[in-house]
PDB file of all heavy atoms in Angstrom:
ATOM      1  N   ALA I   1     -35.224 -73.283  16.723  1.00 93.00           N
ATOM      2  CA  ALA I   1     -35.757 -73.595  15.372  1.00 93.00           C
ATOM      3  C   ALA I   1     -35.624 -75.108  15.083  1.00 93.00           C
ATOM      4  O   ALA I   1     -36.481 -75.684  14.386  1.00 93.00           O
ATOM      5  CB  ALA I   1     -35.003 -72.786  14.337  1.00 93.00           C
ATOM      6  N   GLY I   2     -34.537 -75.699  15.566  1.00 92.00           N
ATOM      7  CA  GLY I   2     -34.344 -77.139  15.380  1.00 92.00           C
ATOM      8  C   GLY I   2     -35.411 -77.975  15.996  1.00 92.00           C
ATOM      9  O   GLY I   2     -35.879 -78.933  15.350  1.00 92.00           O
ATOM     10  N   VAL I   3     -35.821 -77.627  17.206  1.00 89.00           N
ATOM     11  CA  VAL I   3     -36.899 -78.334  17.872  1.00 89.00           C
ATOM     12  C   VAL I   3     -38.202 -78.190  17.076  1.00 89.00           C
ATOM     13  O   VAL I   3     -38.943 -79.163  16.837  1.00 89.00           O
ATOM     14  CB  VAL I   3     -37.056 -77.837  19.327  1.00 89.00           C
ATOM     15  CG1 VAL I   3     -38.340 -78.450  19.946  1.00 89.00           C
ATOM     16  CG2 VAL I   3     -35.825 -78.211  20.150  1.00 89.00           C
ATOM     17  N   SER I   4     -38.461 -76.940  16.659  1.00 91.00           N
ATOM     18  CA  SER I   4     -39.703 -76.741  15.849  1.00 91.00           C
ATOM     19  C   SER I   4     -39.695 -77.580  14.572  1.00 91.00           C
ATOM     20  O   SER I   4     -40.711 -78.132  14.167  1.00 91.00           O
ATOM     21  CB  SER I   4     -39.810 -75.256  15.486  1.00 91.00           C
ATOM     22  OG  SER I   4     -39.960 -74.462  16.664  1.00 91.00           O
ATOM     23  N   GLU I   5     -38.529 -77.674  13.952  1.00 93.00           N
ATOM     24  CA  GLU I   5     -38.432 -78.462  12.738  1.00 93.00           C
ATOM     25  C   GLU I   5     -38.701 -79.968  12.981  1.00 93.00           C
ATOM     26  O   GLU I   5     -39.344 -80.623  12.146  1.00 93.00           O
ATOM     27  CB  GLU I   5     -37.046 -78.278  12.113  1.00 93.00           C
ATOM     28  CG  GLU I   5     -36.829 -78.921  10.727  1.00 93.00           C
ATOM     29  CD  GLU I   5     -37.664 -78.250   9.653  1.00 93.00           C
ATOM     30  OE1 GLU I   5     -38.112 -77.110   9.855  1.00 93.00           O
ATOM     31  OE2 GLU I   5     -37.817 -78.879   8.596  1.00 93.00           O
ATOM     32  N   TYR I   6     -38.176 -80.420  14.119  1.00 92.00           N
ATOM     33  CA  TYR I   6     -38.437 -81.828  14.473  1.00 92.00           C
ATOM     34  C   TYR I   6     -39.918 -82.117  14.522  1.00 92.00           C
ATOM     35  O   TYR I   6     -40.441 -83.066  13.974  1.00 92.00           O
ATOM     36  CB  TYR I   6     -37.790 -82.175  15.826  1.00 92.00           C
ATOM     37  CG  TYR I   6     -36.300 -82.478  15.772  1.00 92.00           C
ATOM     38  CD1 TYR I   6     -35.490 -82.023  16.782  1.00 92.00           C
ATOM     39  CD2 TYR I   6     -35.765 -83.256  14.752  1.00 92.00           C
ATOM     40  CE1 TYR I   6     -34.114 -82.292  16.757  1.00 92.00           C
ATOM     41  CE2 TYR I   6     -34.411 -83.553  14.715  1.00 92.00           C
ATOM     42  CZ  TYR I   6     -33.579 -83.057  15.727  1.00 92.00           C
ATOM     43  OH  TYR I   6     -32.237 -83.328  15.702  1.00 92.00           O
ATOM     44  N   PHE I   7     -40.595 -81.241  15.229  1.00 91.00           N
ATOM     45  CA  PHE I   7     -42.089 -81.437  15.439  1.00 91.00           C
ATOM     46  C   PHE I   7     -42.814 -81.200  14.115  1.00 91.00           C
ATOM     47  O   PHE I   7     -43.804 -81.881  13.835  1.00 91.00           O
ATOM     48  CB  PHE I   7     -42.603 -80.510  16.539  1.00 91.00           C
ATOM     49  CG  PHE I   7     -42.471 -81.056  17.890  1.00 91.00           C
ATOM     50  CD1 PHE I   7     -41.426 -80.596  18.744  1.00 91.00           C
ATOM     51  CD2 PHE I   7     -43.343 -81.976  18.407  1.00 91.00           C
ATOM     52  CE1 PHE I   7     -41.267 -81.128  19.999  1.00 91.00           C
ATOM     53  CE2 PHE I   7     -43.233 -82.486  19.683  1.00 91.00           C
ATOM     54  CZ  PHE I   7     -42.140 -82.074  20.495  1.00 91.00           C
ATOM     55  N   LEU I   8     -42.332 -80.300  13.300  1.00 93.00           N
ATOM     56  CA  LEU I   8     -42.911 -80.039  12.022  1.00 93.00           C
ATOM     57  C   LEU I   8     -42.852 -81.280  11.139  1.00 93.00           C
ATOM     58  O   LEU I   8     -43.833 -81.604  10.421  1.00 93.00           O
ATOM     59  CB  LEU I   8     -42.203 -78.880  11.326  1.00 93.00           C
ATOM     60  CG  LEU I   8     -42.734 -78.462   9.945  1.00 93.00           C
ATOM     61  CD1 LEU I   8     -44.126 -77.846  10.064  1.00 93.00           C
ATOM     62  CD2 LEU I   8     -41.767 -77.447   9.326  1.00 93.00           C
ATOM     63  N   ARG I   9     -41.706 -81.971  11.169  1.00 94.00           N
ATOM     64  CA  ARG I   9     -41.474 -83.094  10.258  1.00 94.00           C
ATOM     65  C   ARG I   9     -41.962 -84.454  10.824  1.00 94.00           C
ATOM     66  O   ARG I   9     -42.316 -85.357  10.067  1.00 94.00           O
ATOM     67  CB  ARG I   9     -40.007 -83.191   9.927  1.00 94.00           C
ATOM     68  CG  ARG I   9     -39.446 -81.966   9.251  1.00 94.00           C
ATOM     69  CD  ARG I   9     -40.075 -81.699   7.902  1.00 94.00           C
ATOM     70  NE  ARG I   9     -39.518 -80.488   7.274  1.00 94.00           N
ATOM     71  CZ  ARG I   9     -39.995 -79.966   6.118  1.00 94.00           C
ATOM     72  NH1 ARG I   9     -41.003 -80.561   5.475  1.00 94.00           N
ATOM     73  NH2 ARG I   9     -39.448 -78.852   5.637  1.00 94.00           N
ATOM     74  N   GLU I  10     -41.922 -84.599  12.157  1.00 93.00           N
ATOM     75  CA  GLU I  10     -42.120 -85.911  12.743  1.00 93.00           C
ATOM     76  C   GLU I  10     -43.238 -85.986  13.786  1.00 93.00           C
ATOM     77  O   GLU I  10     -43.660 -87.030  14.200  1.00 93.00           O
ATOM     78  CB  GLU I  10     -40.828 -86.404  13.377  1.00 93.00           C
ATOM     79  CG  GLU I  10     -39.658 -86.472  12.414  1.00 93.00           C
ATOM     80  CD  GLU I  10     -38.386 -86.928  13.093  1.00 93.00           C
ATOM     81  OE1 GLU I  10     -38.480 -87.794  14.007  1.00 93.00           O
ATOM     82  OE2 GLU I  10     -37.288 -86.408  12.750  1.00 93.00           O
ATOM     83  N   GLY I  11     -43.695 -84.841  14.225  1.00 92.00           N
ATOM     84  CA  GLY I  11     -44.699 -84.827  15.308  1.00 92.00           C
ATOM     85  C   GLY I  11     -44.170 -85.536  16.535  1.00 92.00           C
ATOM     86  O   GLY I  11     -43.023 -85.387  16.930  1.00 92.00           O
ATOM     87  N   ILE I  12     -45.038 -86.313  17.215  1.00 88.00           N
ATOM     88  CA  ILE I  12     -44.678 -86.961  18.460  1.00 88.00           C
ATOM     89  C   ILE I  12     -43.532 -87.956  18.307  1.00 88.00           C
ATOM     90  O   ILE I  12     -42.851 -88.304  19.308  1.00 88.00           O
ATOM     91  CB  ILE I  12     -45.903 -87.679  19.072  1.00 88.00           C
ATOM     92  CG1 ILE I  12     -45.654 -88.123  20.532  1.00 88.00           C
ATOM     93  CG2 ILE I  12     -46.336 -88.866  18.210  1.00 88.00           C
ATOM     94  CD1 ILE I  12     -45.476 -86.957  21.460  1.00 88.00           C
ATOM     95  N   LEU I  13     -43.244 -88.419  17.085  1.00 91.00           N
ATOM     96  CA  LEU I  13     -42.189 -89.374  16.833  1.00 91.00           C
ATOM     97  C   LEU I  13     -40.803 -88.778  17.117  1.00 91.00           C
ATOM     98  O   LEU I  13     -39.834 -89.524  17.258  1.00 91.00           O
ATOM     99  CB  LEU I  13     -42.271 -89.922  15.434  1.00 91.00           C
ATOM    100  CG  LEU I  13     -43.565 -90.620  15.030  1.00 91.00           C
ATOM    101  CD1 LEU I  13     -43.534 -91.050  13.567  1.00 91.00           C
ATOM    102  CD2 LEU I  13     -43.799 -91.842  15.951  1.00 91.00           C
ATOM    103  N   CYS I  14     -40.698 -87.490  17.236  1.00 88.00           N
ATOM    104  CA  CYS I  14     -39.407 -86.819  17.449  1.00 88.00           C
ATOM    105  C   CYS I  14     -39.111 -86.695  18.930  1.00 88.00           C
ATOM    106  O   CYS I  14     -38.044 -86.148  19.290  1.00 88.00           O
ATOM    107  CB  CYS I  14     -39.381 -85.461  16.789  1.00 88.00           C
ATOM    108  SG  CYS I  14     -40.242 -84.177  17.781  1.00 88.00           S
ATOM    109  N   LEU I  15     -39.977 -87.187  19.808  1.00 85.00           N
ATOM    110  CA  LEU I  15     -39.884 -86.827  21.214  1.00 85.00           C
ATOM    111  C   LEU I  15     -38.545 -87.222  21.804  1.00 85.00           C
ATOM    112  O   LEU I  15     -37.907 -86.468  22.587  1.00 85.00           O
ATOM    113  CB  LEU I  15     -41.005 -87.446  22.034  1.00 85.00           C
ATOM    114  CG  LEU I  15     -41.369 -86.750  23.310  1.00 85.00           C
ATOM    115  CD1 LEU I  15     -41.692 -85.266  23.087  1.00 85.00           C
ATOM    116  CD2 LEU I  15     -42.530 -87.435  24.032  1.00 85.00           C
ATOM    117  N   GLU I  16     -38.039 -88.379  21.502  1.00 84.00           N
ATOM    118  CA  GLU I  16     -36.758 -88.825  22.072  1.00 84.00           C
ATOM    119  C   GLU I  16     -35.612 -87.928  21.623  1.00 84.00           C
ATOM    120  O   GLU I  16     -34.671 -87.674  22.358  1.00 84.00           O
ATOM    121  CB  GLU I  16     -36.499 -90.298  21.788  1.00 84.00           C
ATOM    122  CG  GLU I  16     -37.393 -91.226  22.526  1.00 84.00           C
ATOM    123  CD  GLU I  16     -36.990 -92.669  22.377  1.00 84.00           C
ATOM    124  OE1 GLU I  16     -35.841 -92.926  21.871  1.00 84.00           O
ATOM    125  OE2 GLU I  16     -37.718 -93.540  22.792  1.00 84.00           O
ATOM    126  N   LYS I  17     -35.684 -87.455  20.372  1.00 84.00           N
ATOM    127  CA  LYS I  17     -34.663 -86.531  19.930  1.00 84.00           C
ATOM    128  C   LYS I  17     -34.720 -85.232  20.705  1.00 84.00           C
ATOM    129  O   LYS I  17     -33.720 -84.626  21.070  1.00 84.00           O
ATOM    130  CB  LYS I  17     -34.851 -86.240  18.420  1.00 84.00           C
ATOM    131  CG  LYS I  17     -34.670 -87.387  17.513  1.00 84.00           C
ATOM    132  CD  LYS I  17     -34.943 -87.012  16.102  1.00 84.00           C
ATOM    133  CE  LYS I  17     -34.829 -88.190  15.157  1.00 84.00           C
ATOM    134  NZ  LYS I  17     -35.140 -87.834  13.756  1.00 84.00           N
ATOM    135  N   VAL I  18     -35.907 -84.743  21.014  1.00 83.00           N
ATOM    136  CA  VAL I  18     -36.082 -83.462  21.702  1.00 83.00           C
ATOM    137  C   VAL I  18     -35.698 -83.593  23.164  1.00 83.00           C
ATOM    138  O   VAL I  18     -35.097 -82.669  23.707  1.00 83.00           O
ATOM    139  CB  VAL I  18     -37.543 -82.971  21.557  1.00 83.00           C
ATOM    140  CG1 VAL I  18     -37.790 -81.754  22.342  1.00 83.00           C
ATOM    141  CG2 VAL I  18     -37.867 -82.722  20.089  1.00 83.00           C
ATOM    142  N   THR I  19     -36.068 -84.674  23.801  1.00 83.00           N
ATOM    143  CA  THR I  19     -35.865 -84.829  25.219  1.00 83.00           C
ATOM    144  C   THR I  19     -34.524 -85.473  25.573  1.00 83.00           C
ATOM    145  O   THR I  19     -34.200 -85.561  26.743  1.00 83.00           O
ATOM    146  CB  THR I  19     -36.981 -85.622  25.861  1.00 83.00           C
ATOM    147  OG1 THR I  19     -36.993 -86.964  25.284  1.00 83.00           O
ATOM    148  CG2 THR I  19     -38.325 -84.996  25.684  1.00 83.00           C
ATOM    149  N   GLY I  20     -33.778 -85.866  24.632  1.00 81.00           N
ATOM    150  CA  GLY I  20     -32.573 -86.665  24.837  1.00 81.00           C
ATOM    151  C   GLY I  20     -31.523 -85.932  25.642  1.00 81.00           C
ATOM    152  O   GLY I  20     -30.698 -86.580  26.301  1.00 81.00           O
ATOM    153  N   ARG I  21     -31.517 -84.581  25.623  1.00 85.00           N
ATOM    154  CA  ARG I  21     -30.524 -83.823  26.328  1.00 85.00           C
ATOM    155  C   ARG I  21     -30.930 -83.303  27.683  1.00 85.00           C
ATOM    156  O   ARG I  21     -30.216 -82.542  28.345  1.00 85.00           O
ATOM    157  CB  ARG I  21     -30.044 -82.633  25.468  1.00 85.00           C
ATOM    158  CG  ARG I  21     -29.271 -82.990  24.221  1.00 85.00           C
ATOM    159  CD  ARG I  21     -28.642 -81.801  23.575  1.00 85.00           C
ATOM    160  NE  ARG I  21     -27.708 -81.180  24.554  1.00 85.00           N
ATOM    161  CZ  ARG I  21     -27.309 -79.900  24.502  1.00 85.00           C
ATOM    162  NH1 ARG I  21     -27.889 -79.099  23.624  1.00 85.00           N
ATOM    163  NH2 ARG I  21     -26.461 -79.428  25.363  1.00 85.00           N
ATOM    164  N   ILE I  22     -32.117 -83.634  28.132  1.00 90.00           N
ATOM    165  CA  ILE I  22     -32.691 -83.026  29.350  1.00 90.00           C
ATOM    166  C   ILE I  22     -31.799 -83.362  30.542  1.00 90.00           C
ATOM    167  O   ILE I  22     -31.461 -82.459  31.341  1.00 90.00           O
ATOM    168  CB  ILE I  22     -34.112 -83.524  29.571  1.00 90.00           C
ATOM    169  CG1 ILE I  22     -35.065 -82.912  28.563  1.00 90.00           C
ATOM    170  CG2 ILE I  22     -34.569 -83.154  31.004  1.00 90.00           C
ATOM    171  CD1 ILE I  22     -36.475 -83.264  28.721  1.00 90.00           C
ATOM    172  N   SER I  23     -31.352 -84.594  30.704  1.00 91.00           N
ATOM    173  CA  SER I  23     -30.505 -84.982  31.818  1.00 91.00           C
ATOM    174  C   SER I  23     -29.200 -84.199  31.783  1.00 91.00           C
ATOM    175  O   SER I  23     -28.675 -83.742  32.759  1.00 91.00           O
ATOM    176  CB  SER I  23     -30.213 -86.463  31.837  1.00 91.00           C
ATOM    177  OG  SER I  23     -31.380 -87.214  32.088  1.00 91.00           O
ATOM    178  N   GLU I  24     -28.632 -84.070  30.576  1.00 93.00           N
ATOM    179  CA  GLU I  24     -27.370 -83.335  30.414  1.00 93.00           C
ATOM    180  C   GLU I  24     -27.517 -81.858  30.781  1.00 93.00           C
ATOM    181  O   GLU I  24     -26.665 -81.289  31.522  1.00 93.00           O
ATOM    182  CB  GLU I  24     -26.908 -83.424  28.920  1.00 93.00           C
ATOM    183  CG  GLU I  24     -25.675 -82.654  28.577  1.00 93.00           C
ATOM    184  CD  GLU I  24     -25.415 -82.674  27.062  1.00 93.00           C
ATOM    185  OE1 GLU I  24     -25.968 -83.532  26.375  1.00 93.00           O
ATOM    186  OE2 GLU I  24     -24.616 -81.806  26.655  1.00 93.00           O
ATOM    187  N   VAL I  25     -28.618 -81.274  30.336  1.00 93.00           N
ATOM    188  CA  VAL I  25     -28.856 -79.827  30.668  1.00 93.00           C
ATOM    189  C   VAL I  25     -29.124 -79.665  32.164  1.00 93.00           C
ATOM    190  O   VAL I  25     -28.632 -78.692  32.783  1.00 93.00           O
ATOM    191  CB  VAL I  25     -30.012 -79.291  29.824  1.00 93.00           C
ATOM    192  CG1 VAL I  25     -30.370 -77.881  30.272  1.00 93.00           C
ATOM    193  CG2 VAL I  25     -29.696 -79.332  28.324  1.00 93.00           C
ATOM    194  N   ARG I  26     -29.834 -80.614  32.742  1.00 95.00           N
ATOM    195  CA  ARG I  26     -30.095 -80.525  34.164  1.00 95.00           C
ATOM    196  C   ARG I  26     -28.805 -80.591  34.962  1.00 95.00           C
ATOM    197  O   ARG I  26     -28.580 -79.879  35.964  1.00 95.00           O
ATOM    198  CB  ARG I  26     -31.063 -81.662  34.626  1.00 95.00           C
ATOM    199  CG  ARG I  26     -31.658 -81.452  35.974  1.00 95.00           C
ATOM    200  CD  ARG I  26     -32.471 -82.647  36.445  1.00 95.00           C
ATOM    201  NE  ARG I  26     -33.476 -83.078  35.500  1.00 95.00           N
ATOM    202  CZ  ARG I  26     -34.682 -82.485  35.446  1.00 95.00           C
ATOM    203  NH1 ARG I  26     -35.032 -81.522  36.251  1.00 95.00           N
ATOM    204  NH2 ARG I  26     -35.564 -82.913  34.494  1.00 95.00           N
ATOM    205  N   GLN I  27     -27.907 -81.463  34.571  1.00 97.00           N
ATOM    206  CA  GLN I  27     -26.602 -81.586  35.212  1.00 97.00           C
ATOM    207  C   GLN I  27     -25.779 -80.300  35.066  1.00 97.00           C
ATOM    208  O   GLN I  27     -25.134 -79.803  35.982  1.00 97.00           O
ATOM    209  CB  GLN I  27     -25.828 -82.771  34.683  1.00 97.00           C
ATOM    210  CG  GLN I  27     -24.453 -83.024  35.300  1.00 97.00           C
ATOM    211  CD  GLN I  27     -24.520 -83.339  36.777  1.00 97.00           C
ATOM    212  OE1 GLN I  27     -25.465 -84.052  37.226  1.00 97.00           O
ATOM    213  NE2 GLN I  27     -23.587 -82.830  37.565  1.00 97.00           N
ATOM    214  N   ALA I  28     -25.832 -79.747  33.834  1.00 96.00           N
ATOM    215  CA  ALA I  28     -25.101 -78.524  33.593  1.00 96.00           C
ATOM    216  C   ALA I  28     -25.637 -77.358  34.461  1.00 96.00           C
ATOM    217  O   ALA I  28     -24.857 -76.594  34.999  1.00 96.00           O
ATOM    218  CB  ALA I  28     -25.144 -78.136  32.124  1.00 96.00           C
TER     219      ALA I  28
END
């Protein structure tokens, strides 16, 4: 829901917030 809210409020401008944890999740 948090990701959906980011896109709802900011559109493409939220991308760094959404993708910021990808490396962390990949490592985990």
Side-chain angles (χ1 to χ4, degrees):
V3 172
S4 297
E5 186 68 17
Y6 280 139
F7 276 100
L8 180 67
R9 301 296 179 185
E10 302 178 37
I12 192 67
L13 299 178
C14 78
L15 204 57
E16 289 191 10
K17 295 178 183 178
V18 174
T19 61
R21 292 192 61 206
I22 289 181
S23 294
E24 177 187 343
V25 174
R26 195 186 305 277
Q27 180 63 37

